[in-house]
Amino acid sequence: MNYDQLMQVDLAKLEAAVADWKRVAGDVERLGGEARGGLKAKADGARWEGVNAGVTRGFVDKTVKEFGDLHTEARSVFGVLDDAHAELKGLQQQAKSLTEDARANGFTVSSGKDGGVVIAEQVCSTERSRRVTDLMRWYADTLTGVVAHAAEVDAAAVRSLRGAHGGDPNNAGHAVYTSLDQDMLPRALKLAALGGDANEQQQKELRRLWQSLGPESRGRMWAQHRDDLLAAGLLTPQVKRVSADKGAGRYGAESPGASDYWKLLQAKGIANAGDFIGMPDAARHMDHYLRGTGTPLDLDVDRMLTDDANLRAAAGAARANERDEWRRQALEAFEKSGGKPVALPVETRGEGYRHVDGTGPERNWYLAVGRGMTNTTGVVTAVPGPDGQPQVAIDYQVNVWDRYNWDAGKFTPIGPTSVTDDDMARFHTVGLAREFDMRGSSSVQRYDLDSGGPGPVPADPGRDGTRKDLGRNGDAR
């Protein structure tokens, strides 16, 4: 399946097939009941002996069994088609929504090779900003993932239908399916067992399978492979993680002058002094910017949450807004499962926040990040307690992302220096520094959704945060 096929497929025909097979399953069940209650009951109760009696009773038993097998197969076909229709309908709607959003942002969307999706600008620009490039990549990757997911659902449906049919037109009722979970769960368990050894493609497939599985199957996986799933990146955010602004523009668009080199020396002095004035992350980020590699840098979100009240408030508010709905969905799934453990993936939308411009540890993050974006990803579980009643909790992580850049027209005092925000932004324009992405996620926290409050804050990592701390800075010198 490719992008065009997913966008154009008429799922109304599949919906009609679901309704037909639901009716067939009901009719066969009714006929089977009549055969058991009528034909078989009379044959078993008849007082007659001989060859004819034996043959007739055997024929009746076989007929009744065949009705049962036909009902099993019809019910399996209905369950598979119903699940496939729901999955494909949701994925088609997601693809259409993403396409609309991409076009509204000035892009065209088309099918590429091997199931990929190609994103291009509606109006070509020679001054494409990094934000535009990031948006194009996000749309392409996300839509490609949706198409891959649809293809996997389609293939799972085909395998399940073959399994239910068995390949023998004269012998009904083989493997029993209530949904696509019977086909998808073994593959998901195999990928989950890889844990941190799963490569990027395997991690993406695992996340897609996790989304497709029902709450009960997810509950089983979570109970068996929680740590492996977390190590495989199950909580990786799927929201649009791109910079909120365009930055300073194209890298190296102009040639530097003598004044630029002089100010660069001053800026490097600021970066080198940062560790000694209690601003280790501000120093680390500025140093990375001035080194000009442009490579992404990890954020220590546990320490950010510990240090900054604004980030804690933004993350806590996002969870509080969804708490009641998450709990309702979990309880509903728990009841539907008959009281078995269930698990539901959840994610809040990306929200902007601003670090506190204070005088303590928070100022370090104000200078290192300034304004950023955050969201929460997690797994809500409902499991039976000692009394059989459901206990609802969430395992979650807080995610933060931004692009390190300097806004022209602003002024940020950093010690006794004449280097301004305009000067810092110009370093990127003249190729003496380079903007870069910053991303990070907190450690996973557990929170009882049956209780109130904003939820736990990660323990202070207790690291000094200097640029020599290799645990936090793989790019340290």
Side-chain angles (χ1 to χ4, degrees):
M1 180 178 293
N2 60 31
Y3 168 78
D4 290 334
Q5 291 169 334
L6 176 59
M7 292 288 286
Q8 297 167 13
V9 65
D10 183 5
L11 293 176
K13 295 179 180 179
L14 180 56
E15 185 177 18
V18 171
D20 289 343
W21 276 100
K22 183 178 182 180
R23 184 175 61 255
V24 168
D27 290 344
V28 174
E29 183 179 27
R30 176 179 54 79
L31 290 171
E34 292 176 356
R36 286 190 302 274
L39 190 62
K40 181 171 173 54
K42 290 179 180 179
D44 290 344
R47 295 181 178 179
W48 50 320
E49 300 291 340
V51 176
N52 188 47
V55 171
T56 301
R57 283 194 179 100
F59 174 78
V60 170
D61 289 345
K62 184 176 181 181
T63 300
V64 171
K65 179 182 181 302
E66 194 64 23
F67 271 117
D69 290 346
L70 286 168
H71 177 245
T72 296
E73 184 171 313
R75 188 176 56 186
S76 293
V77 172
F78 162 68
V80 168
L81 292 180
D82 188 39
D83 196 11
H85 174 260
E87 285 281 312
L88 292 173
K89 183 178 179 180
L91 290 167
Q92 186 183 64
Q93 290 173 343
Q94 187 180 357
K96 289 181 176 179
S97 177
L98 285 166
T99 299
E100 272 184 39
D101 192 54
R103 288 171 178 166
N105 277 284
F107 304 121
T108 63
V109 186
S110 60
S111 278
K113 296 180 179 180
D114 301 322
V117 177
V118 177
I119 305 294
E121 290 180 290
Q122 293 175 0
V123 179
C124 293
S125 171
T126 57
E127 295 293 330
R128 179 187 298 171
S129 69
R130 180 55 187 256
R131 184 175 187 277
V132 170
T133 300
D134 289 346
L135 275 172
M136 293 173 68
R137 182 181 298 111
W138 184 83
Y139 282 120
D141 290 347
T142 305
L143 278 166
T144 297
V146 171
V147 172
H149 196 166
E152 289 163 356
V153 169
D154 183 54
V158 171
R159 290 192 298 268
S160 299
L161 291 173
R162 286 175 176 165
H165 182 265
D168 186 350
N170 299 312
N171 184 14
H174 294 270
V176 180
Y177 293 84
T178 57
S179 68
L180 294 176
D181 281 18
Q182 285 95 321
D183 179 87
M184 292 182 162
L185 183 57
R187 173 62 177 168
L189 288 169
K190 184 177 180 180
L191 290 172
L194 295 175
D197 292 331
N199 60 37
E200 184 179 359
Q201 292 305 314
Q202 290 168 330
Q203 289 179 9
K204 289 180 178 179
E205 183 184 357
L206 176 59
R207 288 195 290 270
R208 292 193 295 266
L209 288 167
W210 176 258
Q211 291 291 332
S212 282
L213 291 173
E216 191 177 330
S217 293
R218 290 196 211 104
R220 175 182 164 188
M221 277 189 69
W222 190 250
Q224 294 178 4
H225 293 284
R226 175 188 179 276
D227 292 343
D228 291 331
L229 289 166
L230 294 175
L234 186 72
L235 299 188
T236 299
Q238 303 303 301
V239 296
K240 192 187 300 177
R241 289 187 293 168
V242 297
S243 175
D245 55 60
K246 296 181 180 179
R250 188 159 62 91
Y251 169 73
E254 301 177 26
S255 299
S259 175
D260 294 317
Y261 285 109
W262 168 240
K263 290 176 180 177
L264 179 65
L265 287 174
Q266 296 180 69
K268 288 182 176 179
I270 296 172
N272 289 330
D275 288 334
F276 301 101
I277 59 173
M279 308 291 173
D281 295 279
R284 180 171 79 110
H285 293 190
M286 183 183 287
D287 180 53
H288 191 68
Y289 174 67
L290 297 175
R291 293 174 66 191
T293 64
T295 55
L297 209 58
D298 292 335
L299 292 171
D300 188 341
V301 179
D302 279 357
R303 211 152 56 82
M304 294 171 77
L305 287 164
T306 300
D307 293 345
D308 192 275
N310 282 2
L311 177 56
R312 290 197 301 274
R319 293 192 300 275
N321 289 339
E322 301 290 345
R323 174 188 171 277
D324 290 344
E325 178 60 17
W326 288 344
R327 189 172 183 277
R328 183 196 67 78
Q329 291 177 2
L331 290 173
E332 184 179 283
F334 181 83
E335 183 179 359
K336 191 174 180 180
S337 75
K340 297 177 182 177
V342 295
L344 300 152
V346 296
E347 180 170 18
T348 65
R349 66 182 184 181
E351 298 280 1
Y353 76 97
R354 182 177 184 272
H355 283 285
V356 177
D357 184 9
T359 57
E362 66 273 10
R363 182 161 176 77
N364 168 55
W365 295 111
Y366 172 76
L367 295 175
V369 178
R371 297 177 184 271
M373 298 291 293
T374 183
N375 89 324
T376 294
T377 49
V379 174
V380 175
T381 56
V383 301
D387 57 357
Q389 295 301 306
Q391 297 178 332
V392 185
I394 181 174
D395 292 275
Y396 72 90
Q397 69 182 30
V398 176
N399 311 294
V400 177
W401 65 93
D402 192 23
R403 186 160 180 80
Y404 187 92
N405 56 51
W406 293 78
D407 298 321
K410 294 183 180 180
F411 178 73
T412 305
I414 312 176
T417 176
S418 60
V419 179
T420 67
D421 289 30
D422 291 279
D423 296 325
M424 294 297 294
R426 180 171 166 77
F427 292 150
H428 173 86
T429 305
V430 298
L432 295 179
R434 194 160 195 168
E435 297 171 357
F436 59 90
D437 291 328
M438 302 177 287
R439 290 184 178 183
S441 298
S442 71
S443 56
V444 177
Q445 304 295 309
R446 186 166 181 82
Y447 174 47
D448 182 0
L449 289 181
D450 293 324
S451 65
V457 175
D460 189 337
R463 290 174 285 189
D464 62 15
T466 66
R467 285 170 291 153
K468 294 181 180 180
D469 181 0
L470 294 175
R472 293 182 50 252
N473 183 12
D475 195 34
R477 52 188 174 184

